[in-house]
Amino acid sequence: MNHEPDRMTGTLKLFAPGASRPLGERVAAILDIPLAALEERSFEDGEHKARPLESVRGADVYVLHSLHADAEQSVNDKLVRLLFLIGTLRDAGAERVTALVPYLCYARKERKTKSRDPVATRYVASMFESVGVDRVVTLDVHNLAAFQNAFRCRTEHLEATRLFVDHFAPLIGAREAAVVSPDVGGVKRAEAFRAALERRLARPLAGAFMDKQRSAGVVSGEGLVGDVASKVVILLDDIIASGTTMARCAAACCVAGAIEVHAVASHGVFVGADAQLAGAALDSIVVTSSIPPFRITDPTLRERLVVLEAAGLFAEAVRRLHEDGSLVELMEC
C-alpha cells in the first residue's frame, strides 16, 4: 500500500486525457488552475502513448478520466490509456497520483452470480494498484461495499445526492412525492436519497420499489411495492444503460396513479436507450455529466434530458484532498 505524507505540499496538477478533456477543463476552471499539458499519440497498429509536457516531479497529480465507451475508444482502450498514464506520471517523479474516475468501468461485475463467473471489479482494482496509483476517486459506484473491498489503495466515493436534491426540491415544492427504486437491489440507495430530500423539504415522502429480475440480459418482474398514487415520482438508480428498467418502472408507476415520473441516475450510459425511453411515460431524465449523453439522439428525448454538472463536486474533492482534508462534509446535504 502507498503511504502519503501528513501534509501534501507539492504543486497541484490536473490532467484529463482524451474525451474527458472537456470535463477536466471545467474542473480546472473551478480550481482556477490550467489543465496540465499532455501529449497523446496513437500509432498505426493501435498502440498509443501519453506523456506530460511539463514537470510533475514532486507534484500532487490528479488524472481525470471517465471510463465509458464512445465512438473513438472502447472501455478497454480508455482503461489501458489511463493506467499507462498513471505509470508514466509515477516514473516522471510525481509525489502522489490520484485517479479521478467519474464513471468506473466493470463496477457492475462485482460478484459471482453464476459458476466460474469473473469478479471484474477486483481485477480492475489490481491493475490500478499495479501502476502505483495512490488513490481512486469515483462517483456513485454500482456497489459501494464491493468497490471499497476490491481496492487496497485508498479510495474515495463521491455521491450525486446533493445535485439531485438541489434539482428536485424546488421542482416538487409542496406536492406529494415518492422516491422509487426500480429494483430491490437499489432500495438502500433510494432510501438514502429520500432521507436527504426529506431533510431539505422538512416533511416525509413516500418510498416504493419495483420487483425486477435479470438473467442473460432478460428483465422480468412486474410488481410495484408502495403507494405512488397522485404523487410526483422520482425513479432513482445509479446507471441508465439500455433504459429498459426505467421504462418498465415508469409504466408501472403511471398505472398506479403517479402524476409525474422522473428518471434519475448518476450515469447515463444510454446504449440503445432512444428506442426504450423515447416513448416512455417520463417527464424528465436526469443524469450527471459523468458521461456525456452523446447516444441520445431522439429530439423528443433530448428535450426531456437534464444533465447536472458534476465538475464542481470533483473540483471541491480535489481541493480538499490536496489539502489532506475530509470529504465527509462534501457528502452532507
Side-chain angles (χ1 to χ4, degrees):
M1 180 180 293
N2 297 308
H3 297 282
E4 298 174 304
D6 292 335
R7 189 75 176 172
M8 176 52 65
T9 57
T11 303
L12 170 61
K13 290 185 180 289
L14 174 66
F15 292 88
S20 294
R21 186 173 181 85
L23 178 56
E25 289 175 340
R26 298 196 298 272
V27 172
I30 296 170
L31 290 169
D32 197 24
I33 61 172
L35 197 61
L38 180 67
E39 178 194 20
E40 297 180 82
R41 290 184 60 192
S42 295
F43 301 100
E44 292 81 359
D45 62 352
E47 294 183 3
H48 48 77
K49 79 166 188 178
R51 70 181 180 100
L53 294 177
E54 53 193 76
S55 175
V56 296
R57 186 165 299 279
D60 183 21
V61 178
Y62 296 79
V63 186
L64 186 149
H65 204 21
S66 200
L67 300 178
H68 59 87
D70 58 31
E72 301 297 325
Q73 296 176 4
S74 69
V75 169
N76 300 328
D77 200 14
K78 286 188 176 182
L79 176 60
V80 170
R81 287 171 186 257
L82 175 58
L83 294 171
F84 284 7
L85 178 55
I86 291 170
T88 301
L89 294 166
R90 266 290 179 219
D91 290 345
E95 185 173 349
R96 183 170 74 180
V97 180
T98 299
L100 305 173
V101 189
Y103 178 71
L104 180 63
C105 61
Y106 295 107
R108 285 179 284 179
K109 195 54 191 166
E110 84 287 5
R111 61 190 177 93
K112 293 185 177 184
T113 55
K114 296 180 179 179
S115 61
R116 298 178 292 281
D117 255 2
V119 186
T121 301
R122 179 162 53 85
Y123 311 152
V124 169
S126 297
M127 287 189 277
F128 273 104
E129 292 154 8
S130 70
V131 294
V133 75
D134 289 280
R135 186 179 343 230
V136 174
V137 182
T138 191
L139 174 68
D140 282 329
V141 75
H142 184 65
N143 184 321
L144 179 56
F147 168 69
Q148 293 172 333
N149 288 326
F151 285 82
R152 297 299 174 263
C153 65
R154 295 188 179 185
T155 58
E156 298 288 352
H157 183 252
L158 305 180
E159 297 176 358
T161 303
R162 179 179 292 181
L163 299 179
F164 296 147
V165 169
D166 288 346
H167 175 76
F168 280 105
L171 186 149
I172 292 170
R175 297 183 294 173
E176 292 296 312
V179 177
V180 179
S181 173
D183 57 43
V184 176
V187 168
K188 287 186 177 180
R189 181 185 301 108
E191 285 298 294
F193 172 67
R194 181 166 70 97
L197 191 54
E198 284 179 336
R199 288 193 294 272
R200 179 69 62 86
L201 295 173
R203 58 188 175 85
L205 302 174
F209 67 90
M210 187 81 174
D211 176 41
K212 185 190 84 171
Q213 296 86 39
R214 183 189 299 272
S215 180
V218 178
V219 177
S220 60
E222 300 294 337
L224 178 65
V225 180
D227 180 19
V228 300
S230 303
K231 294 179 175 63
V232 177
V233 168
I234 302 172
L235 304 179
L236 183 77
D237 211 345
D238 60 320
I239 298 170
I240 298 178
S242 68
T244 303
T245 295
M246 285 296 191
R248 291 175 61 259
C249 195
C253 289
C254 287
V255 170
I259 58 173
E260 286 182 19
V261 182
H262 303 270
V264 187
S266 298
H267 311 292
V269 178
F270 294 134
V271 177
D274 272 12
Q276 295 294 333
L277 295 178
L282 291 167
D283 292 273
S284 71
I285 301 100
V286 181
V287 295
T288 77
S289 59
S290 67
I291 301 176
F294 59 92
R295 292 190 178 98
I296 296 295
T297 59
D298 184 277
T300 61
L301 194 54
R302 291 201 70 88
E303 288 177 359
R304 289 178 282 163
L305 182 66
V306 178
V307 180
L308 303 181
E309 181 59 79
L313 183 60
F314 278 92
E316 184 59 26
V318 169
R319 194 190 319 274
R320 291 174 183 238
L321 291 175
H322 179 62
E323 297 171 354
D324 285 320
S326 171
L327 300 188
V328 173
E329 293 180 356
L330 185 58
M331 296 298 100
E332 294 176 349
C333 57

